[in-house]
């Protein structure tokens, strides 16, 4: 079984938050046998809808990273 969360993190690392990440994830959904079913289970377990749950998860990661750097700079730790 695929770890959908880990796959999405890897895609984010590889493609950043660009349209390519959406294209690659959609390709995986179409071409990898059983992936769509695993993704549907992941969505249900994590409270996402199947249509755009992956995108919501990615956006949460990006916002979390942005928040980390905002807090880091707020406390006088300029890069």
């Amino acid at each position: 079984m695929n770890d959908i969360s880990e796959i999405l993190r890897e895609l984010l690392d590889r493609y950043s938050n660009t349209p390519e990440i959406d294209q690659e994830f959609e390709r995986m959904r179409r071409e990898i046998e059983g992936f769509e079913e695993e993704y549907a289970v992941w969505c249900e377990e994590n409270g996402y809808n199947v249509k755009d749950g992956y995108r919501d998860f990615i956006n949460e990661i990006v916002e979390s990273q942005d928040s980390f750097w905002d807090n880091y700079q707020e406390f006088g730790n300029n890069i």
Side-chain angles (χ1 to χ4, degrees), residues 43-61:
C43 285
E44 185 176 320
E45 289 174 350
N46 291 283
Y48 297 111
N49 67 51
V50 174
K51 180 182 177 201
D52 55 9
Y54 78 95
R55 175 48 58 195
D56 292 340
F57 181 78
I58 288 169
N59 288 341
E60 288 171 9
I61 292 172

Side-chain angles (χ1 to χ4, degrees), residues 17-75:
N17 197 10
T18 62
E20 286 82 8
I21 196 171
D22 299 313
Q23 294 167 356
E24 181 61 15
F25 189 72
E26 291 302 322
R27 183 199 64 76
M28 294 173 78
R29 288 176 70 178
R30 284 189 314 274
E31 296 179 7
I32 298 174
E33 187 175 333
F35 190 85
E36 183 67 21
E37 292 80 16
E38 292 176 12
Y39 171 64
V41 169
W42 176 85
C43 285
E44 185 176 320
E45 289 174 350
N46 291 283
Y48 297 111
N49 67 51
V50 174
K51 180 182 177 201
D52 55 9
Y54 78 95
R55 175 48 58 195
D56 292 340
F57 181 78
I58 288 169
N59 288 341
E60 288 171 9
I61 292 172
V62 170
E63 289 172 10
S64 168
Q65 291 171 343
D66 289 346
S67 176
F68 170 81
W69 289 112
D70 290 344
N71 288 336
Y72 186 80
Q73 291 176 348
E74 180 179 327
F75 291 103

